[in-house]
Amino acid sequence: MAVGSVQIHGTGQLIELSRRLKAAGGPRLKANYVRRIRRAGEPLKNDLQQTIRNLPITAEPRKPGKRGGPSPTTRPLRATIAEAVRLSVRTGGNPGARVWVDRSALPSDLKNMPWVMNSSNGRIRHPVFGNKRRWVNQWTTPLWWDKTVRQHTPRMRAEVEKVIDDVRRSLT
C-alpha cells in the first residue's frame, strides 16, 4: 500500500447497504451511518497526522569548512504534510471510508514529498536550499504510512462491520 489513500469500500455488504439506505429513504439513518463510519476512521487519520509530525528526519553531518545556517523557509515540512491528511465517507455507488494525503493542500514543491518520505529506503534527496548544483540526502522512517495503516486496519474493519450490521438490523 502506498501513501495517498486507505480505503475500506466496495464489498457487496457496503453496496447492498447503500442501496437499502436509499430505498428506505431515511436521511437520519444515512446520517447516523456516515457519522459512525467517519468516527471509525478518525483514529487512523489522527494517528497518521501524529506520526508524520513526530517522524524523525536525519542528515549527514556537515563537512568541515562548509557553511550552514537557518532554513530560508519558515514552513514546517512535517506539519504541512500532516495538515493535508484527509478523511472522507461516501455512501453512493462506491461506499466506504477513505484516508488520503490531499495533494492540492500541499505547496507545489511538496506535492510528492509524502510518497518520497514513505519510500522503502526512507531517503529524501533534495537540493540544498534550492541550489540544483548541490544535493544532500536525509533519511526518515521508511514506510511510516503503511505501518500506521496496518496497525489500524483490523480495528477499522471490525468497526465498519459492526456499523453495517447495526444498520442492516434497523432496515429489516
Side-chain angles (χ1 to χ4, degrees):
M1 188 177 303
V3 167
S5 96
V6 178
Q7 300 178 36
I8 294 179
H9 64 86
T11 68
Q13 289 180 334
L14 282 173
I15 292 171
E16 177 60 25
L17 181 59
S18 178
R19 286 188 191 122
R20 291 175 78 178
L21 279 170
K22 281 183 184 177
R28 194 177 103 256
L29 187 62
K30 183 177 177 181
N32 182 36
Y33 163 75
V34 169
R35 180 178 44 78
R36 289 181 63 192
I37 296 289
R38 177 174 296 283
R39 195 180 302 151
E42 282 292 334
L44 172 59
K45 175 188 166 221
N46 295 340
D47 197 17
L48 284 166
Q49 289 176 324
Q50 192 62 31
T51 300
I52 187 66
R53 282 188 179 105
N54 296 322
L55 202 62
I57 298 177
T58 58
E60 298 170 336
R62 286 194 189 113
K63 294 174 180 67
K66 298 292 181 183
R67 286 189 252 175
S71 172
T73 178
T74 58
R75 181 184 63 219
L77 171 67
R78 291 171 283 217
T80 302
I81 294 171
E83 291 303 314
V85 176
R86 304 280 192 258
L87 168 67
S88 68
V89 177
R90 295 171 316 280
T91 59
N94 193 12
R98 179 177 175 220
V99 178
W100 82 102
V101 176
D102 183 3
R103 289 175 57 130
S104 68
L106 293 172
S108 61
D109 60 332
L110 296 180
K111 297 260 186 232
N112 292 324
M113 189 56 71
W115 292 267
V116 170
M117 292 173 74
N118 190 58
S119 67
S120 61
N121 63 6
R123 185 178 92 161
I124 305 168
R125 182 169 165 76
H126 63 91
V128 177
F129 299 128
N131 180 352
K132 302 277 186 185
R133 292 185 309 239
R134 286 195 60 211
W135 289 73
V136 293
N137 292 313
Q138 291 183 295
W139 289 270
T140 188
T141 306
L143 305 174
W144 60 272
W145 178 277
D146 301 19
K147 290 174 187 174
T148 306
V149 168
R150 262 194 307 275
Q151 291 171 351
H152 284 268
T153 300
R155 179 197 54 78
M156 284 185 62
R157 283 200 197 295
E159 286 187 39
V160 168
E161 286 175 11
K162 183 179 174 191
V163 170
I164 289 170
D165 290 342
D166 290 349
V167 173
R168 185 181 295 131
R169 271 195 301 279
S170 67
L171 288 174
T172 55

